[in-house]
């Protein structure tokens, strides 16, 4: 028998987040309502310390922990930094609205547990650990979706939970079938076993596995929950649901494609490329005539999954795939959170027309909105532009020129519905938009916009650091 490398320090960012969640739950039981902000401060400290630990681990050679069940490599390190950074932004967006809420500490704890699930999905190198991470990322998110306990929030949580439970069962079924085909759950062993495994068995198992992971990513065909859950949730929770789970899920899909299905009898790249095409196209079509800003961003995030799946489709086939995916994940996360920060800053502005005259009343906030929305399109010099360019290059290098052409057409088409939001915001005619909102959210919007631009301008060195 080989000795297992059970060193908890290898999972220091995850341990810090878990410890902060448990300690925060205990503190919340004893602190008076006016001081429950201390639990949020503890969460902030855990995220900052986790980012530092992940940055230090990123300088070390790639390794594994706990019997090769958890990988510590550039994919995991980047996912850690992006998820923890995104969690910090979501925490900042919630401090003001939640101040004095009787369940303030519970919100911070649930947020940390959901982020922890995304981290575990990103580093999982064993099907059983992936299933556990899926549940950890899902169950707190169901509660957060209905945290306000109003009608829309309850409906959002119910739809989110029902679809998540169904697809979670499919994920566990798929894992069971794949275990039957490979007689193991570890990725390295499965990669060797699947070279000669029966196609029908592999296809059945992979379908169930994909159903669950795509649910967390919000991609087609597991996307039906996204518009309703995002629209019914509070804006900070909507920002969480459309950002953090995606990072863990897409990192998990990339790892599966590279280590498990790359040399199998299953046409994994073709399957992922079809799902990418469907996600970007249906997401754009659904967003075209939306009036509610959160619902528009929900369909936008479905389309973004399609672009993010492009480097996933060529995992193991193109040397550009890893750096393209990791850079795009970071670019999308900060840009999407910047757009949602604007929504949080104007809680009474729920439709596109509600933003009319924003440039006159809040010029900096309007500029942030325009930059983030054009960034999601892929306009230079924002980070998403370079992320899309890298994703297109990786897909072309992997032999999927048709997918690149379709993605380019979808990118041009997406400009239509983003302009439907931008034009009223920069218009100087009509009723002014409501400008009384959360000052902290405005600061977060400015910061996210600056990071998106800075990441785009410094793309060369960042991409070099992310290369395998």
């Amino acid at each position: 028998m080989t000795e297992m490398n059970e060193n908890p320090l290898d999972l220091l960012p995850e341990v810090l987040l878990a410890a902060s969640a448990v300690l925060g739950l205990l503190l919340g039981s004893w602190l008076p309502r006016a001081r429950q902000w201390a639990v949020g401060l503890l969460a902030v400290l855990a995220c900052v310390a986790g980012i530092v630990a992940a940055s230090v681990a990123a300088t070390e050679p790639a390794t594994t922990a706990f019997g090769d069940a958890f990988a510590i490599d550039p994919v995991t390190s980047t996912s850690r930094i992006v998820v923890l950074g995104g969690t910090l932004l979501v925490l900042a967006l919630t401090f003001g609205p939640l101040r004095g809420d009787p369940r303030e500490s519970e919100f911070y704890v649930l947020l940390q547990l959901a982020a922890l699930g995304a981290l575990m999905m990103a580093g999982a190198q064993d099907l059983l650990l992936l299933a556990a991470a899926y549940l950890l990322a899902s169950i707190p998110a169901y509660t957060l979706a209905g945290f306000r306990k109003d009608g829309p929030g309850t409906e959002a949580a119910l739809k989110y939970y029902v679809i998540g439970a169904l697809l979670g069962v499919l994920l566990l079924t798929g894992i069971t079938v794949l275990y039957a085909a490979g007689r193991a759950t570890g990725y390295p062993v499965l990669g060797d076993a699947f070279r000669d495994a029966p196609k029908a068995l592999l296809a059945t198992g992979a379908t169930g596995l994909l159903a669950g992971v795509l649910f967390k990513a919000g991609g087609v065909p597991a996307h039906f929950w996204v518009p309703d859950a995002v629209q019914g949730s509070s804006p900070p929770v909507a920002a969480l649901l459309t950002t953090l789970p995606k990072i863990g899920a897409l990192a998990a899909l990339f790892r599966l494609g590279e280590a498990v299905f790359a040399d199998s009898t299953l046409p994994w790249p073709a399957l992922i490329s079809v799902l990418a095409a469907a996600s970007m196209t249906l997401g754009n079509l659904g967003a075209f005539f939306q009036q509610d800003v959160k619902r528009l961003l929900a369909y936008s995030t479905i389309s973004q999954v399609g672009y993010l799946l492009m480097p996933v489709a060529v995992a193991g086939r193109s040397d550009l795939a890893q750096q393209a995916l990791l850079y795009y994940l970071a670019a999308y996360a900060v840009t999407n959170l910047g757009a949602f920060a604007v929504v949080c800053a104007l809680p009474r502005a729920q439709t596109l027309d509600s933003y009319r005259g924003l440039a006159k009343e809040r010029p900096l906030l309007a500029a942030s909105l325009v930059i983030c929305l054009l960034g999601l399109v892929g306009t230079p010099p924002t980070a998403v532009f370079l992320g899309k360019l890298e994703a297109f290059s990786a897909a072309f290098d992997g032999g999927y020129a048709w997918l690149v052409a379709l993605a380019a057409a979808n990118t041009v088409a997406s400009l239509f519905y983003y302009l439907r939001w931008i034009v009223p915001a920069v218009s100087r005619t009509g009723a002014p938009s409501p400008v009384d909102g959360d000052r902290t959210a405005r600061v977060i919007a400015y910061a996210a916009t600056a990071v998106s631009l800075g990441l785009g301008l410094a793309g060369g060195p960042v991409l070099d650091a992310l290369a395998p």
Side-chain angles (χ1 to χ4, degrees):
M1 294 181 63
T2 58
E3 183 180 354
M4 293 186 67
N5 45 345
E6 298 178 352
N7 183 7
L9 292 180
D10 290 336
L11 274 68
L12 185 56
E14 291 79 11
V15 170
L16 288 169
L17 207 57
S20 173
V22 173
L23 184 57
L25 189 60
L26 295 175
L27 284 175
S29 302
W30 295 97
L31 289 172
R33 183 180 302 180
R35 295 183 181 177
Q36 299 219 346
W37 55 266
V39 179
L41 179 60
L42 178 64
V44 169
L45 294 175
C47 289
V48 172
I51 291 173
V52 173
S55 302
V56 172
T59 62
E60 302 294 331
T63 184
T64 58
F66 291 86
D68 297 336
F70 192 88
I72 303 164
D73 55 16
V75 175
T76 302
S77 297
T78 304
S79 299
R80 283 170 166 176
I81 294 171
V82 176
V83 169
L84 292 173
T87 304
L88 277 175
L89 294 182
V90 176
L91 282 168
L93 291 174
T94 58
F95 277 142
L98 277 180
R99 180 64 60 85
D101 189 283
R103 296 177 296 141
E104 183 179 359
S105 60
E106 286 91 332
F107 186 96
Y108 300 138
V109 170
L110 290 169
L111 174 57
Q112 291 177 89
L113 292 176
L116 178 60
L119 292 181
M120 297 306 295
M121 286 188 73
Q125 203 168 232
D126 186 282
L127 293 179
L128 295 181
L129 181 58
L130 180 63
Y134 171 90
L135 294 174
L136 182 57
S138 299
I139 295 174
Y142 301 151
T143 308
L144 289 172
F147 195 80
R148 292 188 299 187
K149 291 188 176 180
D150 55 4
T154 302
E155 181 182 357
L158 182 61
K159 290 181 178 179
Y160 190 21
Y161 166 73
V162 169
I163 297 177
L166 172 62
L167 297 179
V169 170
L170 290 179
L171 177 128
L172 293 174
T173 304
I175 288 175
T176 303
V177 174
L178 291 175
Y179 175 75
R183 301 297 180 182
T185 56
Y187 290 4
V189 179
L190 289 176
D192 294 332
F194 285 171
R195 288 191 177 96
D196 302 316
K199 289 184 179 180
L201 206 59
L202 273 185
T204 304
T207 300
L209 184 63
L210 270 175
V213 181
L214 282 174
F215 165 74
K216 297 311 302 175
V220 173
H223 68 290
F224 295 104
W225 63 274
V226 179
D228 293 328
V230 170
Q231 185 180 16
S233 304
S234 64
V237 174
L240 161 72
L241 296 180
T242 57
T243 308
L244 302 188
K246 277 181 171 40
I247 299 166
L250 289 162
L253 280 176
F254 182 86
R255 204 179 295 280
L256 284 167
E258 188 176 48
V260 178
F261 296 108
D263 299 322
S264 70
T265 55
L266 182 73
W268 177 265
L271 177 61
I272 298 297
S273 65
V274 170
L275 294 173
S279 296
M280 66 178 72
T281 304
L282 294 179
N284 279 338
L285 291 176
F288 272 167
F289 300 105
Q290 296 297 325
Q291 293 296 326
D292 186 278
V293 293
K294 287 194 291 184
R295 200 170 182 88
L296 185 147
L297 285 174
Y299 278 107
S300 165
T301 197
I302 296 172
S303 70
Q304 292 292 330
V305 174
Y307 305 121
L308 285 162
L309 284 173
M310 293 173 67
V312 174
V314 295
R317 299 176 52 141
S318 171
D319 294 335
L320 303 174
Q322 177 177 300
Q323 64 186 46
L325 174 66
L326 297 180
Y327 183 87
Y328 199 167
L329 281 175
Y332 165 75
V334 68
T335 307
N336 187 64
L337 287 172
F340 269 103
V342 176
V343 176
C344 293
L346 301 172
R348 294 196 297 121
Q350 299 180 1
T351 64
L352 301 183
D353 285 338
S354 300
Y355 283 76
R356 190 171 298 278
L358 179 63
K360 181 179 180 181
E361 301 292 333
R362 296 282 185 192
L364 284 179
L365 194 62
S368 297
L369 178 65
V370 171
I371 291 171
C372 288
L373 293 181
L374 290 179
L376 291 174
V377 176
T379 306
T382 59
V384 175
F385 164 73
L386 187 54
K388 280 191 175 182
L389 188 62
E390 288 294 314
F392 291 0
S393 300
F396 188 83
D397 185 57
Y400 284 94
W402 67 269
L403 184 58
V404 175
L406 181 63
N410 271 286
T411 297
V412 175
S414 68
L415 185 61
F416 168 73
Y417 59 84
Y418 288 120
L419 284 176
R420 292 183 61 242
W421 191 353
I422 291 173
V423 170
V426 300
S427 173
R428 294 184 174 272
T429 61
S433 60
V435 296
D436 54 328
D438 189 352
R439 180 179 300 177
T440 304
R442 294 201 298 270
V443 175
I444 295 300
Y446 305 152
T449 303
V451 173
S452 178
L453 290 172
L455 192 59
L457 294 173
V462 175
L463 285 169
D464 291 340
L466 298 176

